[in-house]
Amino acid sequence: MTELGELGLSSYEEKAYRTLLVTGAVTAAELSDTSGVPKGRIYDVLNGLEARKLIWRQSSDPNRYVAVQPETVVDRLLAERAYELKQEWGRYREKAETVRSNLLPTPPTESSFWLGSLGSDEMSTALQQHMRTAENVVKATVGPPYEDATWETLQSEVEGFFEGANTDLSVDLLFSEKAVTVLPDRFPHLIENQPADITVRTTPEIALSFDIVDNVETTIDVLHPVSGEDRIGVIGIKDSQVVSEFEQYFQRLWTDAVPLLE
């Protein structure tokens, strides 16, 4: 594997980037001919490099592509790898906790707790990763503490929630009437642009915010004991009896709720 490959570039991405360093600004077709990247792959390669900010596109007709300076590219690739290693370390720690629990004579209820205030980067990332575990159905209620927040505070969490959702996912979102007032006018457009199948309803009041993933896990927002307008974190529970109770509670709320988006 090459050095750039070690830092996360595919062979086609490396060919395209190294060629751009030599050629300067060129079109996709010219880059394909010069680099040897097949024409059927060149746009996927360029879009991937551009999304990672390793190249940039000139506004011209046709578009031309330019390589970002190597020093910056290496720093960005290194940051990506560091983030991936951090996530991998977290996964191994969770696996170790699971093994440790399984070695006990009487394993405790499987649960976990994540610290994270409203709108924090940590919780946005946690939501994204949480949604990626969903394969079929997610049911979520939005009540306290979101009701007293601003859209600017919640936007990163909403984006993280939707970014983690796959295209085959069915999502039922239930907002309290007070939480609806936090949503921006463009919220319907935001929902329409999501790949998942999303249904949104509203109900007068929700006691607490929680979600249910594939009927096997529920996560519950824990209100901050000092600041009732924030949360201290989120607890995740996989105990089947607890999940079933929350599923039944959600269905009662959902049945009496009314559509928010027609």
Side-chain angles (χ1 to χ4, degrees), residues 112-120 122-123 144-146 157 220-235:
S112 51
F113 184 78
W114 300 274
L115 286 171
S117 59
L118 288 175
S120 65
E122 295 84 357
M123 193 52 62
Y146 298 96
E157 290 194 17
I220 308 162
D221 285 64
V222 180
L223 296 182
H224 199 290
V226 177
S227 174
E229 297 180 356
D230 201 351
R231 65 155 175 254
I232 193 171
V234 175
I235 186 170

Side-chain angles (χ1 to χ4, degrees), residues 25 27 31 48 104 111 138 162 177-178 180 185-186 189 218 243:
T27 67
L31 181 60
L104 295 174
S111 62
V138 173
F162 286 131
E177 291 181 351
K178 189 174 180 181
V180 170
D185 293 338
R186 61 185 178 86
H189 182 68
T218 182
V243 174

